[in-house]
Amino acid sequence: MTTPSTTAPPAGAGDDAPGTSAAKTGRSLGSRIAALAGGGVMRVVLVLVALFWLMPTVGLFLSSLRSADRIAATGWWKIFTVPSELTFDNYSRLLDNSTITDSLFSTVMITVPSTVLVVVIGSLAGYAFAWMEFPGRDWWFLVVVGLLVVPVQVALIPVSKLFGAVGIFETTFGVVIFHTAFGLPFAIFLLRNFFAEIPRELLEAARLDGAGEIRLFTRVVMPLGGPAIASLGIFQFLWVWNDMLVALIFAGSDSPPITVALQQQVRQFGNNIDVLAPGAFVSMVIPLAVFFAFQRQFVSGVMAGAVK
């Protein structure tokens, strides 16, 4: 008896099935796009974007190294063809300008306490809302969340009247209190959500070892919350340092921060560019230095909770 022979289909006979070629084409196109995005082309694009972002900073720095008449006559890029224009005389004049130097000191006296108070009070309140039981905890936290949407402009007039009544209007202390009050809602909201992600078992184990709330906060919660606290500190520092609206209203005329002092220089001396350029660069480079100094902690805090 003859067994019927089975004929194998020719190679590639099923390659033309409906949708097969399109799927292969789609996969190969996606692979090429992914390879292109992760290759050298994307790195070149990112470098170009970074250079474009840094261009105003570079331009301001080079302008601060030119004389006032050269700044008024040509653009800062001309310095590459005439490097002899470089001079540090502008920074010498800046150091001799008591208004600018005093304003830098006033800015530090406003920014540092405002940042420290927000970080300390926000950390304590965030821990309390995350792990402590007290009457109305959830309702009070909803109030904090609601305060996030209150714009600063709404509080300028009533707070000005309040500060005038208690005698702290146009004082450094008043500016610090205002920045601290408006920085706390975001600080509490951020740190409460971060602290709530700490495993409960870790805190219970510390309590079983005899740790009280203070020791639990300082020895367990604070080290684990370092990235989030560092991110909060950077945000608060940059906001207070670069603020002009609050400082213009609440700071005293005898001790204005750097933003107000530079604005006054423009108003009083329209051609005082040899002081404005280095002053603006110094006021910008200090928060940049703070950011890059804590860049690793900032990235860790931003990415916290993104990966479980």
Side-chain angles (χ1 to χ4, degrees), residues 51 174 223 265 307:
L51 292 177
Q265 292 287 318
V307 180

Side-chain angles (χ1 to χ4, degrees), residues 53-71:
W53 181 78
L54 289 174
M55 188 176 297
T57 304
V58 175
L60 180 62
F61 174 66
L62 295 179
S63 296
S64 67
L65 297 176
R66 305 177 71 205
S67 59
D69 56 341
R70 299 308 302 166
I71 294 175

Side-chain angles (χ1 to χ4, degrees), residues 149-236:
V149 301
V150 177
V152 175
Q153 293 82 357
V154 174
L156 294 179
I157 295 178
V159 174
S160 298
K161 294 181 179 180
L162 176 63
F163 283 6
V166 298
I168 59 174
F169 186 69
E170 291 191 347
T171 62
T172 300
F173 179 73
V175 182
V176 171
I177 292 298
F178 190 96
H179 282 303
T180 302
F182 272 85
L184 279 176
F186 174 73
I188 296 172
F189 175 78
L190 174 69
L191 295 180
R192 182 265 179 190
N193 293 337
F194 188 90
F195 292 160
E197 296 296 326
I198 298 176
R200 180 180 295 272
E201 294 78 9
L202 183 62
L203 301 180
E204 291 178 351
R207 288 192 176 97
L208 290 176
D209 290 338
E213 296 296 342
I214 299 298
R215 188 174 182 181
L216 190 65
F217 174 75
T218 56
R219 298 294 182 89
V220 178
V221 176
M222 287 292 287
L224 293 176
I229 294 173
S231 301
L232 172 64
I234 291 174
F235 276 123
Q236 180 71 9

